[in-house]
Amino acid sequence: MEEVLIVNMSFSIPDKEGKVGYIPLGPLYIVSALKNAGYKVDFIDYLVDLLNNGSQKDRNKILSFFHADMNTAKMEVDYIFIDAQNIQRIIDHPAKYVGIGCTSGTLPQVILAIEEIKTKAPDKTIILGGIGPTGVANDLMDHFPFIDIIVLGEGEETIVEVMDNINADLSGVNGIIYRQNDQVVKTKPRARIQNLDKINYPAFELIDFNNYTVTSITASRGCTFKCSFCDTTQYWGRKNYYRSVENVINELKILVNDYGLTEFEFVDDTFVINRKWVERFCKELKKANLNIKWNCNVRVGLMDEPLMKLMADSGCYLVFYGIESGSNRILKRINKGFTREEAIEAIKTSSKYFHVMPSFICCLLY
């Protein structure tokens, strides 16, 4: 079987001690899928690797970039991605196939890094995936000939089929766009994975949780709402599927018992879409007596006091509301589906039970 290198090039800002934010769930799911299919897989979490394995000078430079006074700091983000020493481990890695995952925020620098990798290691096949590339896949393939394949949307089933057919015909692999004889070919869309329980747990054994400040977990995929600014629908469509309550709690038991973790963040786009699921989860979680703390993303209009109390009793200590604006005119224009007054009331009530974190979209004019 072919060897595959998976690289996470999405990251959140590290703290001053050098711990980055979220564990890289998406790439770890991909690693797990490939390993389960029999492939030899190595994994690099790019920023973690630079902070832990680079020189002290480089570590200080990276941390000073993220934590410097932005009024005086020289912005050197390209250095993190395309400095020759930083990407050398990827270039020297024996794997011919390199899968890279990223978000929109790091996509421009990732493209520069891929170009450098392909220049120095032209025999490597670059497979790009994640929420960043999916929405602009056609443009990426048209403008950057050093990208070989882009996986669109969910990748667990797709990446295995890609590797199974990598030396043959990829036209039957749904959900990709690829290069064939200098022509760009886009295959049929891939149907969403509805039974999320059949997906293997992320390859937690390949990371050190001490390198991260947040242990993320996901109970569902997709959001049914129609906020006009959100790129989630490019990735998931507007369909929402949940894992079973038992499957999620079993994962939590593994993380608590095997790794000693006690605090978790559910990174679902909207954790509370299925109220009955959430109610049962909270009851079963309390019954499991794991004594954990957790937080999640919620939505105005889906929360009321009975649900808040149930969530708080099971260990939820913080909720995140996507408010986005204090103007009813703007809220209507971006299809949020609630008013400023409803948002204020939801936050007031939630504050009885949780810490509340609202988000707002700001436009900075220079």
Side-chain angles (χ1 to χ4, degrees):
M1 297 285 266
E2 302 284 3
E3 182 174 6
V4 187
L5 172 64
I6 299 298
V7 184
N8 174 47
M9 283 192 167
S10 300
F11 55 78
S12 49
I13 297 174
D15 64 18
K16 293 183 178 181
E17 283 69 48
K19 290 186 176 185
V20 304
Y22 298 89
I23 65 172
L25 273 185
L28 291 177
Y29 271 118
I30 298 300
V31 170
S32 186
L34 286 167
K35 289 180 69 176
N36 188 59
Y39 289 94
K40 181 181 179 182
V41 190
D42 198 4
F43 175 69
I44 295 176
D45 196 346
Y46 192 69
L47 185 58
V48 170
D49 189 61
L50 296 184
L51 289 169
N52 287 345
N53 298 320
S55 67
Q56 188 61 44
K57 180 180 178 181
D58 285 345
R59 177 184 172 89
N60 292 340
K61 188 172 185 178
I62 292 169
L63 292 178
S64 67
F65 162 73
F66 283 111
H67 294 285
D69 178 356
M70 288 300 137
N71 292 319
T72 58
K74 183 179 179 183
M75 306 298 278
E76 296 184 280
V77 69
D78 286 358
Y79 159 82
I80 298 173
F81 284 90
I82 63 174
D83 180 81
Q85 181 178 340
N86 291 349
I87 61 172
Q88 198 61 46
R89 184 176 165 194
I90 299 173
I91 293 168
D92 292 341
H93 198 281
K96 180 181 177 182
Y97 302 99
V98 180
I100 297 176
C102 71
T103 59
S104 302
T106 57
L107 181 57
Q109 285 73 33
V110 168
I111 292 170
L112 295 174
I114 292 173
E115 183 177 25
E116 186 74 9
I117 293 167
K118 287 288 278 191
T119 298
K120 296 184 176 180
D123 291 338
K124 290 189 184 294
T125 297
I126 302 295
I127 307 169
L128 193 57
I131 199 165
T134 291
V136 291
N138 292 330
D139 291 332
L140 291 176
M141 294 299 282
D142 286 343
H143 291 90
F144 305 109
F146 41 83
I147 300 172
D148 298 300
I149 304 170
I150 299 178
V151 171
L152 308 173
E154 284 174 302
E156 290 86 358
E157 293 179 346
T158 311
I159 191 63
V160 173
E161 290 187 25
V162 166
M163 290 307 305
D164 287 347
N165 295 278
I166 196 77
N167 295 314
D169 182 10
L170 291 173
S171 62
V173 180
N174 292 342
I176 64 172
I177 183 168
Y178 66 101
R179 215 171 293 283
Q180 184 179 48
N181 299 325
D182 296 325
Q183 297 294 315
V184 174
V185 179
K186 189 173 185 178
T187 64
K188 296 177 182 178
R190 178 174 292 271
R192 287 279 310 279
I193 301 172
Q194 297 186 32
N195 179 10
L196 299 181
D197 283 9
K198 70 179 183 179
I199 301 174
N200 295 89
Y201 293 145
F204 295 126
E205 68 277 7
L206 296 185
I207 63 169
D208 182 349
F209 285 94
N210 291 319
N211 290 325
Y212 303 90
T213 60
V214 178
T215 303
S216 47
I217 185 171
T218 179
S220 67
R221 292 180 172 183
C223 182
T224 57
F225 294 94
K226 301 178 181 180
C227 304
S228 62
F229 58 88
C230 186
D231 63 355
T232 293
T233 54
Q234 293 284 330
Y235 200 78
W236 304 119
R238 289 199 176 96
K239 295 180 180 179
N240 170 260
Y241 298 113
Y242 277 80
R243 298 162 58 190
S244 69
V245 167
E246 292 77 12
N247 188 267
V248 175
I249 289 181
N250 186 60
E251 182 176 347
L252 287 169
K253 287 179 179 178
I254 292 170
L255 292 169
V256 170
N257 297 329
D258 294 356
Y259 298 98
L261 303 172
T262 59
E263 186 172 339
F264 303 90
E265 179 165 332
F266 283 92
V267 293
D268 309 46
D269 295 305
T270 310
F271 181 77
V272 293
I273 287 178
N274 186 331
R275 183 188 180 101
K276 289 184 178 180
W277 189 97
V278 177
E279 289 174 341
R280 183 163 177 264
F281 169 75
C282 291
K283 292 173 183 177
E284 293 298 321
L285 180 58
K286 190 171 182 179
K287 193 185 299 183
N289 199 32
L290 294 178
N291 296 316
I292 64 170
K293 294 170 59 180
W294 57 279
N295 65 78
C296 64
N297 300 323
V298 297
R299 181 180 171 87
V300 175
L302 298 182
M303 298 285 283
D304 58 25
E305 277 205 74
L307 184 60
M308 293 175 190
K309 187 177 187 306
L310 193 61
M311 290 169 63
D313 285 346
S314 69
C316 183
Y317 70 98
L318 181 149
V319 293
F320 179 96
Y321 279 98
I323 305 300
E324 319 311 355
S325 177
S327 163
N328 281 332
R329 180 178 65 85
I330 297 297
L331 289 171
K332 183 177 181 180
R333 187 171 180 180
I334 62 177
N335 299 325
K336 283 303 293 184
F338 56 79
T339 65
R340 174 184 61 203
E341 291 73 23
E342 290 169 331
I344 292 171
E345 187 59 34
I347 290 174
K348 282 183 178 179
T349 307
S350 296
S351 296
K352 299 178 184 178
Y353 300 94
F354 320 104
H355 298 293
V356 179
M357 184 181 294
S359 72
F360 293 90
I361 297 174
C362 297
C363 179
L364 302 178
L365 302 177
Y366 293 93

